Amino acid sequence: MFNLKNQLSSSVLVCQLAMVVVAWGPVGANEPSGDREHEGHSAERLIETLEVRTGYEVSLAASEPSVSDPVAIRFDHRGRMWVVEMPDYPTGPRDGAGPAGRIRVLTDTDDDGRYDQAATFADGLMFPTGVQPYRDGAFVTLAGKIVYFVDTDGDDVADRREVWFEGFATENEQLRANHPTLGPDGLIYVANGLRGGSVVAVDSRFESRPDPIDLRARDFRFDPEGGDWGAVAGNSQFGLTIDDFGRRIGCSNRNPAMLAALDLDAIERDPLLAPRDAIFDVAAAADRSRVVPIADAWTTSNLHAGQFSAACGVVAPGQLNGTDEWLFVCEPTGSLVQRQTLRRDGSVWSAERDTVDSEFLASSDSWFRPVDLTIGPGGELYVVDMSRAVIEHPNWVPEELKNRGDTWDGVGLGRILRVRRTGDSPEFTSITTRGDAMAALQASTPLERQLGSRFLFESGIEEIEEPLREIVRSVHGNVAARGRAARLLRRFDALGEETWRGMLDDPEPRVRAVAVTIADREPASATAIAEIATDTDPLVRRHVATYLTSLPSDVIDGSVAVDALAAIAAQDADDLWTRRVIGSVDEGSLRPLLDQYFDSASTASGSELASHLVRRLARRSASEAADVLRPRLRRQSGDSGNGRTGAAETPGVGEARLVLAWSQGVRDGKSSVAAALDGLADETRAVLVSAIDRVVALAIDPRVDVPARRLGVDVAGLSGRVPETYRAILGPTQPPELRVAVVPVLFRWDRDWTLDYLQDRLASMPHPLRRAVVAASLSSNESTEWLLGRIESDEVAKSILDPATANRLRKHRDEAIAKRAQSLLAPDADRQKVLATYASAARVDGNAMAGKELFSEHCSACHQIDSKGTNVGPDISDSRTKTPEALLVAILDPNAAIDAAYVRYSLLTDDGRVLEGLMVDETADSVTLAQQGGERVTVRRDQIEELHSPGVSLMPNGFESQMNVEQMRDLITYLKNWRYLDRDIPLSPAESADAGSE
């Protein structure tokens, strides 16, 4: 039997991997492991189990008892290590004790690389998650707050505590604000922990605001000197890194490196963007990622084996010891640290793991739990090892293991490892004067540069302004130092016009990009930046676009800004991030920018940027957008919607995209396409109608590829100009994607024929098509009654309705429909009776291959096993740690305990559509649901008639209507044993049971 200690190690302070809805519970009381022997897991033994990339060596910088349960570290300008300790993980203080979190300050007194002296700076803290030393104290993130601890007498013990901000989410110990990090601009950035919060400033240094700052899908920043504070683009879970140029990268479980590529104001200007649209996966994420552990690495999801499932502590320091630009990230599940190489990719970066079939640092000891990284003195990599037997939070441990005796094994342990090139002996000089800081600012290693600029942020730059300007102007100097020096000067308004303009002409593109970033918002500066819109580097051009789109209209002449943006668009229409920036231009510039872009770019017609701008303009004014499109659309005579288009009449995909964008924008603007067309001038209307009909005709043209035909279906659905020839698309010989897409179009615009057509065909249609028919049927009371009638007359089985839809119909707003559904679709309300009826399904092995077919038919729309299905609902692939009885309860009584991440939401749109799914994104302007089948749909709030959650699982009660006891037995057998179906010989029942419990 496999050792259960290693089965559930998929996260640390960072993991939110939920299983099928199983009843979770708190961990029972256990002895603290500090009172136990941990033979085989000593700090010295850990070093023996480590494998590191050739050319590097690992040593202990600190270990218990100097440090215990560490989760994050920072260094200060004296070379001291500040350690965040969290012994209360995972469930909080035990046995009535108070919070035990601490901030420790470690010192290497003899410069031998081992930190041998420790002082407790602050203790009694509830789940501290990060520390940033500053002036005479440190900022600490903990328990929903950012607190400044001050040491007024210099004894390394905080004697004053000031709460600066509060309101960060605290629902889960793992998912809290963390990693306060001082950026090169002098601001401190904070990872939001994924749960966000509603944050307010409670310190007088900051102006109070009428409403809290919403941190959903956003990170946070504040000025440690007071004043500026608020949300920024980003959504980091546990980890945050900022380089010399302000490049800010976070991470989350399945996303090892996420760059905040857009400013938040771009998202707020553009109604078609959501906060997540600002974030770019620098490194391969989720199932595209790869890790190679050498320890027994069992994750809570088999889908995640060999992948990142608990990525945390990312650090991208820039050049390290004069070598390539690297990125490092922890994976505590696999007891490893991965290195990736960073390279420019257009205006952003991409990272690739080392090509060798091993990791940069890994241990064969599964108690090695790296959770944070930082670059220390001399450019060495420091690794924070929390050292736990079980790192998974009990919230995501199956019921039968929630009281496991080893939950707290490792409490009291903790190691900080130092990784450096073999033979290197880097030195660190404490920074005590401005001269020291100036030298550190120009050092070759990241920490020294960070600490040098931090010292100058705190002390001021009086009398050294000119030496700093000399650093900026030194075109052959340290480019990272030049970037930091420029930001320092900008912070103190001492950069100077001449120096700044020199940066705009600098041969180094990252210096030019910094110059744009730090520019003031004065007319002269704006004009100078507009003049470099044709810069040779895409990074610079993206920054120029970011600057120009953020300017108030009174700073720069509108035509100058538009000309510059059009010039950038002509060069960078293929760069997603530049395209998104330009697409976020203020509404007043939409039309002139479109005109300029169409005139200046030969490929503009139908490009994604052009479509985006057209949609935004049509949302505001359908007639303006139509006027812009008119000269770009071909005039056609005759009926182009009759299905008899010739080759010359077939529109290009570009034209189809523009027509679709116009139609979508009209719909976004709360109007119908028909009404918008009626409001156009005769000539313009004729052009648009002709173009719409040509695009609509694409759908029934077999010579056109499926994506282009889908454009036609979408335009038809929005415009209502649906020819009778569309009926043929429902035929069995048509592409499945088009059949599904045309169903709601025909239900809306050709309902009588559609209902008649489906009368005798619905039961025999493929599952995706039946699902589309059911969804479309619910768009009106008439078609809902039709569907219930088909079930009532036994023309189709009631199993055509999934449990969620059946429940919704029983609670329909129309009393007659609700009453009819309650009678027709009534489930057995007594869950215990249902469980008793099906109890034998969990006691006897069934036919796993038959269960595989049942899974494909009934479960794959929301779940995935062995690459089959879709990941929408909770992962049910990992049944090693679930008994058959637990699986049966999860299937038949899913609401016994439900993770909030999988609560079902129901949304009614103002045009009668009913959408259901998981809410995966929510902003002030829109809601995004993940639906069955994996499709995501975003609906603007002004299109939402009703949005509610019944507080039940995405998989509600009633699944017993889908299969009998024997079928349930087959399904559970498959869920327990799917991994073994490809063995050469069949498993005996006994072997199957043993294998399923391993």
Side-chain angles (χ1 to χ4, degrees), residues 4 6-10 298 300 390-392 397-398 401 404 881:
L4 290 178
N6 296 319
Q7 288 190 4
L8 293 167
S9 57
S10 64
W298 292 89
T300 54
V390 178
I391 208 71
E392 176 66 277
V397 171
L401 293 180
R404 54 191 297 180
T881 56

Side-chain angles (χ1 to χ4, degrees), residues 316-638:
Q319 290 188 332
L320 179 61
N321 286 344
T323 64
D324 292 336
E325 189 173 6
W326 286 327
L327 176 149
F328 299 88
V329 63
C330 299
E331 176 51 59
T333 301
S335 303
L336 60 87
V337 174
Q338 185 171 108
R339 183 177 74 182
Q340 301 195 17
T341 300
L342 275 167
R343 295 183 178 90
R344 277 278 297 281
D345 184 8
S347 72
V348 290
W349 283 261
S350 63
E352 294 183 2
R353 73 180 297 275
D354 291 347
T355 56
V356 295
D357 198 27
S358 63
E359 299 297 353
F360 178 75
L361 177 67
S363 173
S364 58
D365 181 0
S366 62
W367 283 35
F368 174 54
R369 303 297 187 188
V371 297
D372 194 32
L373 303 167
T374 194
I375 303 301
E380 301 162 317
L381 179 69
Y382 281 71
V383 182
V384 178
D385 171 21
M386 196 178 186
S387 191
R388 290 291 183 96
V390 178
I391 208 71
E392 176 66 277
H393 192 282
N395 279 6
W396 296 290
V397 171
E399 176 73 17
E400 60 268 27
L401 293 180
K402 66 182 182 182
N403 294 315
R404 54 191 297 180
D406 60 355
T407 298
W408 295 90
D409 279 8
V411 169
L413 303 183
R415 294 82 193 252
I416 311 296
L417 303 179
R418 182 180 59 188
V419 185
R420 63 181 178 182
R421 286 186 176 276
T422 302
D424 277 3
S425 299
E427 296 181 356
F428 176 80
T429 302
S430 293
I431 302 172
T432 58
T433 67
R434 288 183 183 172
D436 295 338
M438 288 289 286
L441 185 67
Q442 300 173 79
S444 62
T445 50
L447 176 67
E448 281 75 359
R449 295 194 298 268
Q450 295 168 15
L451 296 177
S453 60
R454 180 196 138 195
F455 187 93
L456 295 175
F457 281 138
E458 296 174 5
S459 66
I461 61 171
E462 294 86 356
E463 300 180 0
I464 59 170
E465 293 96 332
E466 185 53 32
L468 283 170
R469 284 193 285 267
E470 290 178 2
I471 293 175
V472 175
R473 293 192 293 259
S474 177
V475 296
H476 299 296
N478 183 324
V479 65
R482 298 176 65 205
R484 283 191 171 272
R487 288 183 178 272
L488 268 164
L489 289 162
R490 180 68 179 87
R491 170 85 168 178
F492 292 99
D493 293 324
L495 182 59
E497 178 75 9
E498 182 180 352
T499 302
W500 177 76
R501 286 186 176 271
M503 293 177 67
L504 290 179
D505 295 326
D506 198 272
E508 169 56 50
R510 297 191 73 168
V511 172
R512 302 198 300 274
V514 169
V516 176
T517 302
I518 66 177
D520 59 40
R521 296 186 166 211
E522 297 299 325
S525 299
T527 301
I529 289 176
E531 290 173 353
I532 65 167
T534 56
D535 189 278
T536 57
D537 192 276
L539 174 66
V540 180
R541 295 195 297 270
R542 175 166 64 83
H543 280 280
V544 171
T546 300
Y547 174 84
L548 293 175
T549 53
S550 68
L551 287 178
S553 58
D554 59 346
V555 172
I556 188 172
D557 182 86
S559 63
V560 173
V562 165
D563 288 348
L565 290 172
I568 296 171
Q571 290 180 276
D572 296 313
D574 292 333
D575 185 298
L576 171 64
W577 303 100
T578 304
R579 190 168 70 234
R580 282 185 176 172
V581 171
I582 297 173
S584 73
V585 69
D586 68 276
E587 287 202 348
S589 299
L590 284 171
R591 178 165 185 177
L593 178 57
L594 263 170
D595 284 330
Q596 280 285 78
Y597 182 41
F598 277 132
D599 291 341
S600 63
S602 59
T603 60
S605 179
S607 73
E608 292 189 41
L609 176 57
S611 299
H612 187 93
L613 294 171
V614 166
R615 181 172 178 177
R616 283 193 60 198
L617 182 58
R619 179 178 182 271
R620 188 191 72 183
S621 171
S623 60
E624 271 197 88
D627 288 341
V628 172
L629 286 183
R630 186 180 66 183
R632 277 90 192 177
L633 300 175
R634 293 179 295 117
R635 289 293 300 268
Q636 292 278 330
S637 61

Side-chain angles (χ1 to χ4, degrees), residues 707-735:
R709 295 179 68 184
R710 175 62 189 269
L711 290 172
V713 173
D714 291 342
V715 170
L718 289 167
S719 68
R721 300 181 66 83
V722 182
E724 287 189 5
T725 47
Y726 263 46
R727 296 171 178 176
I729 301 176
L730 267 184
T733 62
Q734 295 295 311

Side-chain angles (χ1 to χ4, degrees), residues 122-283:
D123 58 8
L125 309 181
M126 178 64 79
F127 287 110
T129 55
V131 62
Q132 173 60 62
Y134 194 79
R135 291 196 181 275
D136 298 322
F139 293 99
V140 179
T141 47
L142 75 164
K145 301 178 176 65
I146 295 177
V147 181
Y148 185 46
F149 289 88
V150 188
D151 173 14
T152 61
D153 55 11
D155 64 352
D156 291 340
V157 178
D159 43 42
R160 191 170 77 237
R161 167 181 172 149
E162 304 170 354
V163 178
W164 283 27
F165 302 95
E166 61 185 13
F168 298 93
T170 59
E171 288 85 357
N172 184 282
E173 293 85 354
Q174 296 175 341
L175 307 176
R176 299 186 175 192
N178 59 86
H179 280 74
T181 303
L182 182 67
D185 55 2
L187 303 180
I188 291 178
Y189 294 80
V190 179
N192 83 7
L194 286 194
R195 286 292 190 257
S198 298
V199 180
V200 297
V202 295
D203 188 272
S204 60
R205 296 171 180 82
F206 302 93
E207 180 181 351
S208 61
R209 300 178 182 178
D211 299 307
I213 294 294
D214 182 1
L215 280 194
R216 286 174 298 180
R218 298 167 174 86
D219 286 335
F220 185 73
R221 78 172 184 190
F222 67 96
D223 189 330
E225 300 298 325
D228 184 28
W229 68 285
V232 293
N235 193 35
S236 189
Q237 187 170 347
F238 192 81
L240 192 65
T241 181
I242 308 174
D243 74 355
D244 300 281
F245 301 95
R247 181 182 59 187
R248 181 162 45 90
I249 296 175
C251 58
S252 64
N253 289 337
R254 303 279 281 151
N255 306 77
M258 304 182 298
L259 173 70
L262 301 184
D263 288 345
L264 191 58
D265 59 356
I267 301 298
E268 294 173 344
R269 280 193 309 271
D270 189 341
L272 303 183
L273 295 179
R276 295 180 190 276
D277 292 324
I279 303 168
F280 168 59
D281 277 317
V282 174

